[in-house]
Amino acid sequence: MATEPTSTARPVLGATRARQGRFGRHVFWVLLISTVLAALALFGAWTWRSGDLANTEPNNARQPVDAKAFDAPPPAPPTQNGGR
């Protein structure tokens, strides 16, 4: 038969208290560094594409040329007898 010791070396915590984390320095530094890296990535992406964002006319007056790719033949005229 196994007997349990009468004294425990660990404190007994409730389920809610055991699930809660503590705010420590390592958590602060991880959050701070990841926020700075995300801001740098967004700034880098913005500067990389800033020339495209500054264009006021992205097609450079080629709209008629681009529209020809979507030309389709006119639809067939409707029939008098319901398509028979």
Side-chain angles (χ1 to χ4, degrees):
M1 241 178 164
T3 60
E4 293 185 25
T6 56
S7 66
T8 59
R10 298 178 286 184
V12 178
L13 299 175
T16 303
R17 176 76 174 130
R19 291 184 188 117
Q20 292 176 344
R22 291 185 296 176
F23 185 75
R25 287 186 187 171
H26 65 283
V27 174
F28 171 75
W29 286 112
V30 167
L31 289 174
L32 183 69
I33 291 171
S34 63
T35 303
V36 169
L37 287 175
L40 287 174
L42 287 172
F43 182 73
W46 177 76
T47 56
W48 180 43
R49 300 294 289 187
S50 65
D52 294 340
L53 295 173
N55 286 340
T56 57
E57 192 173 339
N59 287 337
N60 297 326
R62 293 188 338 228
Q63 288 90 356
V65 175
D66 293 338
K68 287 185 181 180
F70 293 100
D71 281 342
T79 60
Q80 295 294 336
N81 56 7
R84 292 183 194 183

